[in-house]
Amino acid sequence: MDLHIAHLYPDLMNIYGDRGNVIALSQRARWRGIEAEVRPYSVGQWADPDWPDVWFFGGGQDQGQDIVGADLAGKNGAGLRRSVEGGAAIFSVCGGYQLLGHEYVPEVGPAIPGVGILDVTTRAGKKRFVGNLLADSTDGQLIGFENHSGRTFLGTSAKALGTVVVGNGNNGEDKTEGAIQGKVIGCYLHGSCLPKNPWIADQLLIWALARRHGDVKVDPLDDRDELAAREQAIGVARARP
Amino acid sequence: MPDALALVATAAGKLTLEGLRLAGRGGTALPGLIALTLDPDFISALAGGLPHGVVCVSGTNGKTTTARMLSDILRSSGWEAIHNRSGSNLDRGVASALLADATWSAEPRGNVGLFEIDEASLPGVVGRLRPRVVVVTNLFRDQMDRYFELDALAKRIGEALAGLPRETTLILNSDDPLVASLALRRDAKTIYFGVDDPSVGGVVPQAISDATRCPRCSSPLHYDRVILAHVGEWSCSNCGLTRPARDVAAAKIVLGPSGSEIVLAGTVGGIFEPLRVPIPGLYNAYNALAAVAAAGALGIGLAEATRALVNFRPAFGRHETVQVKGRTLRLVLVKNPAGFNAAIGALLETGRNPRILAALNDRDADGRDVSWIWDADFEALAPSVEHAVITGVRSRDLALRFKYAGLAEDRMEVVDSSGAAIDRAVALAPEGCEVAVVATYTAMLELRAALARAGMVSPFWED
């Protein structure tokens, strides 16, 4: 069995260690005997938008985000939408999450359109949310570190990924963190997210493998190290938000 | 003549300093903070009285080592530097250094100021110091919970430098596009340093780069040679911006396990003997180039500067070595992916399989966001690691990073306390072996405190 992982704009959207999510996806596949290949998808004509089973889209600096936004406004955005309709999964963080929504509304100037895959909208905020982020979800607690000034609000088609316990999450107002819609996940969890929240990584693997391999059961891994890192990080988040 | 406010601030600051000394404390920032609170212009008032002027050393990595190298050079030329040596490099650290070397009548005892300035503080401080020379070593992503974005930081530094007097000389790393373009807004004296040796670096871009776009036109940069992250032989094929010509260039570098030798070339002239840098690592070779270039800007010749560096001793955690029970502990401070990659590069250059004691904390001085470890190239390190003992407030994140980089479970273990981690790492290493102690700032302080309790090192503020 094999897995195709696309890393979106790794040259421009690679801030805050989000690359760890790609490392986690590919290692957790390889440890189960699944061959994982990672390919970069950056600015310009994409060679094969139908290749990926799962896309990763991380956060970036402002300059990077502007260039990426413009790139996704063209053919590549359409290719990404078609890929999701064809059964591919997406995991996105911070800037990537914002760009998957309908639009980003800056403090001044016109709204910047997003890809519209997630039913969310983001507005610029004055105060930057920086700190440990802990959220409850039905599948387990989510732990990470947030660093964003955008305030993201969910529409009716997107469900919150979790409920904030420590930190600010989507917007600092409604206690929601992240969004999930079909096989697409967005969140504000840096950290990196997937190594310390391995059940999300495994959910993404199951979704991704289903695209070409049908319903696949993934074997459980020995996650004691992952759980120990979670516990330590949760302890820090509670003591020093 | 200092004004009344500066006199009051000096007196209050010096009293604090004396009080701390009597209490046996080595606080490096508090006296400066008090003086600045009483007189916000305290730094300008005192720094203005230095006859040879002020040198500022800034950048993400290498400021402490570069400033120390320059300090050795100045001393060997008979100058007396006032230097914020203990690594407290915010404005209060600068103020504390001025206080410690000022008379009670607010006059400096030295004749030149040598100040390491935190790169995020540089835009706010540099105008007050009116420096004769400003050195910028490099700009990498670092503690983003504090500094946020590198592009924005580079812009602020460029604006601050543009406002300096025309007489100020900038010493800039030509190989770092973000640093090299700091002079774009400025028509003034600039000395560029860089590495020309074609055998240094590769052609393949490294996984993590902070500035792959042109600082002037935002087009993708082209690299003929990549040395470290976005540092290398760069050019923009769109607007034509290119790596500036080097005034102080390393035509050839020979890297060794305890130091390197550099054949110098460039417009500042050459010397017959190579520059010997007695601490290992390519990044320390860069620091030496920066120090020699800064000395040149102050009128000190290459030969004299080169001679002064022969006996250079590293600062706290910058390849400082400590003997423990017949083993050598090499203390390497890390705080960001580029620094980590440079440090492991120096470990791997030796060709040995490193034994490591690694410590990760997430306090303010370390950076509260530990995500950066996922940007660091543990994948390059893991296959060579003989054994790793892991400790710190976020030891489990670090262990997970090693695991995902492919280090086998039986080659690593987590030990909670600093003292026990040192004992364990020493016990595992055969006598005569070296253990590389790789730690973030407060984690290194804790490890060093444990070594001090065991009588192995002196407390660092006696430095």
Side-chain angles (χ1 to χ4, degrees):
Chain A
M1 206 160 27
D2 65 331
L3 175 71
H4 296 171
I5 302 169
H7 191 170
L8 274 168
Y9 309 101
D11 50 339
L12 292 163
M13 304 291 278
N14 63 4
I15 210 170
Y16 309 121
D18 291 334
R19 181 173 88 105
N21 294 305
V22 175
I23 296 171
L25 281 175
S26 48
Q27 288 293 60
R28 296 182 71 81
R30 283 179 194 132
W31 291 336
R32 293 169 161 119
I34 300 162
E35 230 177 277
E37 189 189 339
V38 181
R39 289 189 190 170
Y41 281 71
S42 195
V43 174
Q45 180 87 47
W46 288 348
D48 192 359
D50 298 322
W51 181 82
D53 300 319
V54 56
W55 302 79
F56 171 69
F57 197 177
Q61 305 191 49
D62 288 344
Q63 189 202 40
Q65 223 148 305
D66 291 348
I67 297 167
V68 167
D71 187 64
L72 284 172
K75 261 191 186 158
N76 288 344
L80 192 58
R81 280 190 291 272
R82 202 173 55 242
S83 167
V84 171
E85 283 156 21
I90 306 183
F91 181 64
S92 61
V93 182
C94 204
Y97 171 33
Q98 295 170 357
L99 283 165
L100 290 184
H102 298 298
E103 58 180 19
Y104 179 87
V105 186
E107 260 186 84
V108 284
I112 300 157
V115 188
I117 288 174
L118 280 173
D119 185 14
V120 305
T121 301
T122 304
R123 287 202 306 261
K126 281 205 167 55
K127 183 173 165 276
R128 200 170 175 98
F129 294 148
V130 183
N132 289 299
L133 175 57
L134 175 65
D136 278 333
S137 87
T138 47
D139 296 297
Q141 279 192 316
L142 300 159
I143 182 70
F145 195 96
E146 64 182 328
N147 191 341
H148 57 106
S149 50
R151 311 292 199 255
T152 300
F153 294 89
L154 307 183
T156 51
S157 306
K159 297 273 165 290
L161 189 62
T163 306
V164 174
V165 179
V166 174
N168 293 282
N170 281 334
N171 48 53
E173 292 171 26
D174 62 15
K175 291 277 168 198
T176 63
E177 159 51 18
I180 177 166
Q181 186 174 345
K183 293 182 179 182
V184 180
I185 293 177
C187 65
Y188 280 113
L189 297 157
H190 301 291
S192 301
C193 177
L194 295 183
K196 282 202 294 288
N197 299 286
W199 57 269
I200 304 182
D202 288 353
Q203 180 60 66
L204 288 162
L205 287 181
I206 292 167
W207 286 343
L209 290 167
R211 188 179 82 106
R212 288 179 302 119
H213 304 289
D215 280 345
V216 177
K217 259 183 69 86
V218 298
D219 304 324
L221 296 172
D222 177 356
D223 279 341
R224 275 175 297 181
D225 295 325
E226 286 78 355
L227 297 179
R230 282 177 63 76
E231 286 313 307
Q232 198 178 51
I234 289 171
V236 167
R238 289 190 182 281
R240 291 185 274 137
Chain B
M1 195 59 203
D3 61 25
L5 199 53
L7 287 170
V8 172
T10 303
K14 285 188 81 70
L15 281 170
T16 312
L17 194 66
E18 291 304 321
L20 286 169
R21 267 188 197 144
L22 287 174
R25 298 270 307 279
T28 53
L30 186 62
L33 185 61
I34 286 173
L36 280 172
T37 307
L38 289 168
D39 179 7
D41 292 327
F42 175 76
I43 290 180
S44 322
L46 263 77
L50 292 161
H52 286 307
V54 165
V55 180
C56 295
V57 181
S58 193
T60 308
N61 291 329
K63 10 180 209 298
T64 299
T65 297
T66 302
R68 278 202 164 224
M69 288 175 165
L70 188 54
S71 165
D72 281 11
I73 296 171
L74 297 177
R75 192 175 336 104
S76 80
S77 300
W79 295 20
E80 283 172 69
I82 294 178
H83 179 188
N84 56 337
R85 242 177 192 261
S86 297
S88 179
N89 56 29
L90 302 173
D91 56 354
R92 63 202 66 161
V94 171
S96 286
L98 284 166
L99 272 171
D101 282 321
T103 62
W104 288 84
S105 52
E107 273 155 7
R109 282 199 201 101
N111 51 23
V112 60
L114 175 54
F115 299 121
E116 273 174 58
I117 317 266
D118 180 278
E119 67 277 24
S121 307
L122 185 68
V125 177
V126 78
R128 281 186 270 164
L129 285 168
R130 298 181 67 84
R132 185 170 164 197
V133 174
V134 180
V135 183
V136 184
T137 55
N138 48 58
L139 287 171
F140 293 114
R141 62 178 64 188
D142 181 54
Q143 303 184 17
M144 300 250 196
D145 55 303
R146 254 187 341 125
Y147 298 152
F148 311 119
E149 296 173 345
L150 198 62
D151 293 340
L153 177 62
K155 197 162 164 272
R156 287 202 296 126
I157 294 176
E159 282 162 5
L161 295 182
L164 291 177
R166 287 187 55 86
E167 308 82 71
T168 305
T169 305
L170 303 183
I171 312 289
L172 302 177
N173 185 341
S174 67
D175 303 350
D176 181 334
L178 279 176
V179 172
S181 18
L182 289 176
L184 277 182
R185 296 160 173 276
R186 205 182 132 79
D187 170 31
K189 284 180 282 186
T190 303
I191 295 176
Y192 289 101
F193 63 93
V195 171
D196 285 358
D197 185 340
S199 71
V200 173
V203 287
V204 187
Q206 297 183 346
I208 282 305
S209 286
D210 298 304
T212 51
R213 296 264 157 179
C214 175
R216 188 162 70 187
C217 75
S218 294
S219 299
L221 284 177
H222 170 78
Y223 280 85
D224 285 321
R225 198 159 52 92
V226 174
I227 294 173
L228 179 75
H230 60 266
V231 172
E233 211 174 313
W234 57 274
S235 60
C236 175
S237 35
N238 183 50
C239 76
L241 189 69
T242 184
R243 176 178 172 242
R246 277 71 57 209
D247 302 295
V248 177
K252 186 166 171 47
I253 296 186
V254 181
L255 298 164
S258 58
S260 46
E261 286 195 4
I262 305 172
V263 177
L264 289 173
T267 56
V268 295
I271 44 170
F272 191 66
E273 288 286 302
L275 167 62
R276 281 177 231 280
V277 186
I279 47 172
L282 178 61
Y283 61 119
N284 284 317
Y286 266 104
N287 295 333
L289 293 175
V292 165
L298 294 167
I300 298 170
L302 273 184
E304 202 173 347
T306 301
R307 259 198 317 276
L309 289 184
V310 171
N311 297 316
F312 178 75
R313 284 176 56 82
F316 164 73
R318 275 79 173 185
H319 284 271
E320 177 192 22
T321 56
V322 179
Q323 300 300 318
V324 180
K325 296 180 183 152
R327 285 85 170 168
T328 302
L329 303 192
R330 182 178 289 277
L331 274 44
V332 185
L333 194 64
V334 291
K335 50 176 188 160
N336 51 46
F340 181 91
N341 291 352
I344 64 160
L347 289 181
L348 298 176
E349 278 156 19
T350 65
R352 291 193 291 251
N353 289 9
R355 293 181 171 276
I356 292 177
L357 168 54
L360 177 66
N361 278 4
D362 65 355
R363 301 204 171 90
D364 286 346
D366 305 293
R368 295 175 56 220
D369 183 2
V370 299
S371 303
W372 68 268
I373 62 174
W374 293 91
D375 282 335
D377 199 359
F378 281 73
E379 281 72 15
L381 175 64
S384 315
V385 171
E386 183 66 37
H387 193 272
V389 174
I390 299 164
T391 188
V393 178
R394 299 297 291 270
S395 55
R396 301 287 174 174
D397 274 85
L398 193 53
L400 204 57
R401 182 70 188 95
F402 272 113
K403 174 181 174 176
Y404 277 79
L407 185 63
E409 298 270 317
D410 60 356
R411 289 189 182 271
M412 59 172 152
E413 61 189 71
V414 175
V415 178
D416 286 332
S417 89
S418 300
I422 292 170
D423 290 345
R424 184 69 184 140
V426 167
L428 282 168
E431 237 183 295
C433 264
E434 181 169 302
V435 178
V437 181
V438 179
T440 58
Y441 189 75
T442 71
M444 187 65 90
L445 288 180
E446 283 162 22
L447 288 166
R448 225 174 173 289
L451 287 169
R453 279 195 297 277
M456 306 294 181
V457 294
S458 61
F460 102 91
W461 54 76
E462 284 178 13
D463 170 60

